[in-house]
Amino acid sequence: MGAPKIVRVGLATCGIAAGADKVFQALAQELTGQQDVWLKQTGCLGMCHNEPLVEVLTPAGESYLYTKVTPEKATDIARRHVLGGEPVRDWLFDDGHYLAKQKRVVLRNSGRIDPESIDDYLEAGGYQAIAKALREMTPEQVIGELEKSGLRGRGGAGFPTYLKWRLTRQSPGRPKYIICNADEGDPGAFMDRSVLESDPHSVLEGMLIAAYAIGAREGYIYVRAEYPLAVKRLKLALAAARERGFLGENILGSGFDFDLKLREGAGAFVCGEETALMMSIEGKRGMPRFRPPFPAESGLWGKPTSINNVETYANVPWIILNGGEAFAQYGTERSKGTKVFALAGTITRGGLIEVPMGITIREIVFEIGGGIRSGREFKAVQIGGPSGGCLPASLADTPVDYESLTQAGAIMGSGGLLVMDDSACMVDVAKFFLDFTVKESCGKCTFCRLGTKQMQAILQRITNGEGREGDLELLEELANSISRASLCGLGQTAPNPVLTTLRFFRDEYEAHLYEKRCPAKKCRALIRYQVNPDRCNGCGLCNSYCPTNAISGEKKRPFSIDQNLCTHCGLCFNVCRHEAISVN
Amino acid sequence: MEEQLHAAVAAILRQYDHRRGNLLPVLQAVQARLGYLPPEAMEQIASAFGVPPVDVYSVATFYAQFRLKPPGRHQFKVCLGTACHLMGGHTVLDCFERRLGIKEGETTPDREFGLERVACVGCCALAPVVVVDGRVEGRVSPTRVDGLLLSFSLEKSRRETPATPTNGGGGSPYGA
């Protein structure tokens, strides 16, 4: 029997949402029972824009990637290519630059292995790093290797990982805990979801190594409840690791004991903050507490605790196996290694990418992302979610590293990278993030609780065309006070989206304020929808959707909108198939 | 009814030791079982954990996941993350609100449909996204909203046909 052909289907949440489960069934129907064909589920290859994805690997190691596969296409691919031996050329993916500029460390196994199979992970070199650490390295040597690598926390703040580990190790209290922060709450960020859905064991292995280095015997993974598939695959991974003796007592005969508990978050953004997260694990309201003492001294239940995020842990096994220097050869002087970004917005090729630090925003947007989808103009990127900022197209040559981004007014953040074209209103975007922080503020600090509400009210009236003289200055004053007088990262960074848009897009604020005009035609109170009689064929679809019956007319004749009744919801604009509705 | 509820909560409480750290997992398990957290359940949990009921209530109201009212048979979660916001998530929410006659956070009077908003489900490349009974639907348009509701109301009238031969879709968004 020769080597089998392998057919892989990406079954992460994005793939499933695009119909990959039906594609898998269609393939299974054709291929089950076939000799020398191995149909596998796998995680995310990162090309969300092209889901569902099917990859055919020949015994000789050639790879053929099919994109946007439907169940019908899958049947054809199974018959013509897998069984017939003839690739269906028309449907093959032309790689372009999507993968060429990327370097996969964290995502090394994503889209390649079956995330529900520990054997797949082992075959890909899994659990060799922990074996190496236990057999050949002292805990101090492990930490030394991390120091050489220059790895910094990937959750956003960028604290050196080795230092966090060393401080926790040296802290006198017992027992010590480690925590994996998988409470990925930034809207527009899905790096951790994808890693957990595609390669959960790499995170567990990273945690094992951390536990060995720190001297912890117990750990927690705190994962967002909105990620049911990640939770399911983590549970499977934990059970498999326990069964194979990678978790539990006397791991690999080394005398090292360690076990992990899974905790599901309950939908509070602030729990991504480390002290709030620990309060939540303790069964309380997730409200941050004052630091110092830092968790390394007094964390979970007052014991020394080291807390890192998913991506940070996923880097660790690679660093131990390949050495800190190998990792440090990627990146810039002070930001080493790679970073995973969730690329979304009005971009041609959205998805999950991993790039060496120091790459420019322009390279990400145009060479990897393929530029703006609509053919419109590239306007800005929002980086770092509600704590980050909007950088204009003119700063597209900013290198992506911790220092450069901070200097430009944004932050690295956890990795959400949202691309916007000129149809995005920056005042509206700032208001969106502020609405979010107002909702998610835990209420502990007055400035965060009430200050953000005041900022929201000001933005609301500006977008309503009711802005007042001095509003922009007042926004800035409030922003600075909130940053200074809030305890945790949520409040300290909440004004960033407003501050950066004020800095780079002040003219848009002024247009709203003084001219009562929304240049991007987004703010409802400042726009008018009209029917263009030349394009309207009188189908009446808009009329049937209009919530206020503002649209009237006779079938087959141009309709019209009563401006007194119109609430500017934009539904007619969205449903019209003839582009007959214009917005001014 | 009340006894059943009590027994269901008691069964869950038996699976956990009652240290404070287990409060959230217990609340999550109870909600998974009952669909929401009735006041009686919170009181029962409080007495098992040896804390005042207000402590349990304060935790339950802090986290967005916990519902204090029963959900609908079908639950729609409209994603309003950044990507969905830019791609028209609000229009999708508007559509649901209007067709169902309820606001986000509410359930239709017949408890057929519940509507929630969610901060981000992490499927940003497929924006705007709606989670329908736990299944992620990508690139949702206003017409897709109608399609979803239509298929559910058809399912409902099929379910009710034996009892009420005509006019089965009482809760149908197309009733008006």
Side-chain angles (χ1 to χ4, degrees):
Chain A
M1 198 172 108
K5 265 187 194 163
I6 300 174
V7 181
R8 297 195 285 219
V9 184
L11 284 173
T13 303
C14 285
I16 294 170
D21 47 349
K22 295 190 184 88
V23 168
F24 190 85
Q25 283 161 14
L27 288 168
Q29 204 166 6
E30 295 296 321
L31 301 176
T32 307
Q34 291 289 342
Q35 279 218 325
D36 296 343
V37 176
W38 190 9
L39 178 63
K40 281 173 67 167
Q41 68 160 339
T42 178
C44 174
L45 257 180
M47 285 182 258
C48 306
H49 58 286
N50 271 329
E51 297 280 5
L53 296 168
V54 172
E55 190 179 14
V56 179
L57 289 165
T58 66
E62 295 164 302
S63 155
Y64 297 85
L65 187 64
Y66 294 98
T67 57
K68 296 189 179 163
V69 180
T70 59
E72 295 76 34
K73 277 187 180 178
T75 308
D76 258 18
I77 292 167
R79 288 180 187 162
R80 288 162 64 185
H81 187 177
V82 183
L83 302 175
E86 194 56 43
V88 191
R89 301 265 169 213
D90 291 352
W91 301 338
L92 279 176
F93 173 60
D94 173 20
D95 172 61
H97 297 287
Y98 193 75
L99 294 169
K101 284 245 164 184
Q102 298 195 42
K103 170 66 203 163
R104 299 196 149 211
V105 173
V106 173
L107 305 178
R108 58 194 178 275
N109 296 324
S110 291
R112 304 190 182 283
I113 64 168
D114 178 351
E116 298 185 7
S117 157
I118 192 170
D119 289 316
D120 255 30
Y121 182 66
L122 289 167
E123 207 172 298
Y127 290 110
Q128 283 176 15
I130 182 63
K132 180 181 173 185
L134 290 174
R135 289 183 188 137
E136 300 167 20
M137 298 166 87
T138 65
E140 266 306 329
Q141 282 172 323
V142 171
I143 294 174
E145 209 57 48
L146 263 287
E147 185 173 3
K148 271 188 253 170
S149 76
L151 177 66
R152 294 167 64 176
R154 295 295 193 245
F159 191 79
T161 305
Y162 85 92
L163 193 55
K164 199 179 259 187
W165 291 13
R166 182 166 289 157
L167 290 171
T168 316
R169 175 171 179 76
Q170 289 167 348
S171 196
R174 294 246 181 274
K176 299 182 203 285
Y177 294 101
I178 65 164
I179 299 175
C180 174
N181 184 348
D183 193 44
E184 182 175 56
D186 281 8
F190 50 92
M191 301 76 52
D192 296 351
R193 170 181 70 69
S194 185
V195 171
L196 292 172
E197 286 178 0
S198 306
D199 191 15
H201 285 286
S202 70
V203 180
L204 302 192
E205 189 177 1
M207 291 187 77
L208 272 163
I209 295 166
Y212 172 67
I214 289 161
R217 295 184 49 165
E218 206 181 318
Y220 287 88
I221 305 177
Y222 188 90
V223 59
R224 257 186 111 197
E226 283 87 348
Y227 289 171
L229 188 62
V231 171
K232 177 191 156 204
R233 289 187 177 159
L234 267 174
K235 282 182 180 161
L236 288 170
L238 284 170
R242 235 170 248 136
E243 195 196 307
R244 301 292 178 92
F246 293 114
L247 285 175
E249 285 176 14
N250 193 17
I251 293 166
L252 299 174
S254 64
F256 166 61
D257 308 333
F258 180 68
D259 210 343
L260 273 169
K261 289 197 177 95
L262 187 66
R263 277 300 168 82
E264 287 179 50
F269 173 68
V270 69
C271 289
E273 200 277 342
E274 56 183 20
T275 60
L277 188 153
M278 289 185 281
M279 293 287 270
S280 182
I281 292 181
E282 291 174 13
K284 301 171 189 153
R285 290 161 71 93
M287 292 165 95
R289 61 163 179 73
F290 189 74
R291 296 180 302 181
F294 286 93
E297 272 174 72
S298 172
L300 195 59
W301 290 297
K303 302 297 179 190
T305 305
S306 177
I307 173 163
N308 292 107
N309 96 322
V310 169
E311 189 183 335
T312 312
Y313 281 124
N315 273 305
V316 170
W318 193 95
I319 291 170
I320 295 301
L321 276 183
N322 297 282
E325 282 103 357
F327 187 80
Q329 68 175 343
Y330 301 109
T332 63
E333 183 61 35
R334 297 183 58 194
S335 304
K336 299 294 187 196
T338 60
K339 177 78 192 84
V340 182
F341 284 101
L343 198 55
T346 48
I347 191 156
T348 311
R349 298 194 285 259
L352 204 70
I353 61 165
E354 182 172 356
V355 289
M357 296 265 197
I359 192 171
T360 65
I361 292 171
R362 187 183 304 283
E363 286 172 281
I364 292 180
V365 172
F366 289 96
E367 294 181 35
I368 297 175
I372 302 298
R373 187 196 302 166
S374 49
R376 300 180 75 123
E377 203 168 319
F378 169 43
K379 181 172 185 176
V381 292
Q382 210 288 339
I383 183 164
S387 313
C390 287
L391 298 183
S394 60
L395 289 180
D397 291 314
T398 307
V400 174
D401 63 63
Y402 291 100
E403 281 72 29
S404 307
L405 287 174
T406 307
Q407 208 183 357
I411 59 162
M412 174 73 80
S414 59
L417 209 156
L418 199 89
V419 179
M420 290 177 273
D421 63 20
D422 55 5
S423 72
C425 168
M426 302 317 280
V427 186
D428 176 68
V429 169
K431 184 169 152 291
F432 165 79
F433 282 113
L434 215 61
D435 288 347
F436 180 82
T437 32
V438 165
K439 261 180 102 82
E440 296 294 340
S441 169
C442 80
K444 185 166 180 164
C445 306
T446 316
F447 276 86
C448 176
R449 182 179 71 242
L450 298 176
T452 53
K453 244 189 147 72
Q454 286 307 317
M455 287 181 74
Q456 184 193 31
I458 296 171
L459 286 172
Q460 185 68 53
R461 69 178 181 241
I462 292 176
T463 53
N464 278 346
E466 295 157 358
R468 300 171 199 159
E469 187 77 45
D471 268 354
L472 301 188
E473 291 72 23
L474 193 54
L475 275 178
E476 281 164 333
E477 191 190 326
L478 276 165
N480 289 324
S481 309
I482 294 166
S483 298
R484 273 184 292 139
S486 299
L487 197 58
C488 84
L490 190 154
Q492 286 162 8
T493 60
N496 281 355
V498 177
L499 285 174
T500 51
T501 45
L502 266 174
R503 182 162 149 199
F504 297 118
F505 301 95
R506 203 176 184 95
D507 54 328
E508 278 190 47
Y509 280 87
E510 286 167 352
H512 285 76
L513 199 55
Y514 301 116
E515 300 164 34
K516 314 292 177 207
R517 183 172 68 83
C518 175
K521 296 170 186 169
K522 266 275 144 75
C523 296
R524 284 186 183 185
L526 303 176
I527 52 174
R528 274 164 71 99
Y529 287 95
Q530 277 172 317
V531 179
N532 179 350
D534 297 336
R535 303 199 75 143
C536 178
N537 72 348
C539 71
L541 191 64
C542 54
N543 174 37
S544 69
Y545 274 91
C546 180
T548 56
N549 293 322
I551 306 180
S552 57
E554 268 176 63
K555 286 260 175 193
K556 298 193 176 167
R557 285 168 180 276
F559 279 59
S560 66
I561 302 177
D562 181 343
Q563 296 298 333
N564 293 324
L565 292 174
C566 177
T567 57
H568 317 279
C569 71
L571 258 178
C572 53
F573 183 80
N574 280 311
V575 298
C576 180
R577 291 173 187 152
H578 309 284
E579 295 179 13
I581 312 258
S582 61
V583 50
N584 296 306
Chain B
M1 189 64 193
E2 223 162 274
E3 273 165 36
Q4 269 178 0
L5 192 146
H6 191 88
V9 176
I12 289 165
L13 281 168
R14 274 196 296 277
Q15 294 165 22
Y16 294 86
D17 73 51
H18 300 158
R19 273 179 300 190
R20 182 68 189 244
N22 279 332
L23 180 56
L24 272 124
V26 165
L27 290 173
Q28 285 167 330
V30 169
Q31 176 157 303
R33 174 80 174 74
L34 305 174
Y36 73 115
L37 299 175
E40 303 81 12
M42 285 192 274
E43 279 172 33
Q44 195 181 339
I45 294 165
S47 92
F49 275 76
V51 297
V54 69
D55 270 23
V56 176
Y57 183 77
S58 84
V59 168
T61 50
F62 184 83
Y63 296 96
Q65 185 189 23
F66 296 119
R67 281 187 215 104
L68 304 186
K69 296 204 171 102
R73 178 191 296 266
H74 300 293
Q75 201 68 15
F76 301 117
K77 290 186 187 173
V78 181
C79 180
L80 292 177
T82 326
C84 291
H85 173 76
L86 283 176
M87 307 300 281
H90 274 281
T91 314
V92 174
L93 182 64
D94 282 354
C95 280
F96 274 112
E97 289 188 338
R98 203 176 60 257
R99 291 292 194 219
L100 296 173
I102 54 174
K103 295 278 164 208
E104 53 121 337
E106 295 177 352
T107 305
T108 51
D110 62 357
R111 289 203 190 160
E112 193 67 15
F113 299 108
L115 186 60
E116 292 170 284
R117 58 181 280 175
V118 51
C120 184
V121 292
C123 293
C124 309
L126 299 170
V129 167
V130 178
V131 184
V132 182
D133 293 338
R135 197 184 72 249
V136 176
E137 286 265 342
R139 302 210 171 94
V140 178
S141 60
T143 33
R144 179 74 190 127
V145 171
D146 284 359
L148 281 168
L149 292 176
L150 182 65
S151 64
F152 283 130
S153 63
L154 286 176
E155 177 216 291
K156 188 189 176 192
S157 40
R158 266 200 305 275
R159 205 168 55 230
E160 290 174 355
T161 309
T164 46
T166 53
N167 216 4
S172 157
Y174 303 92

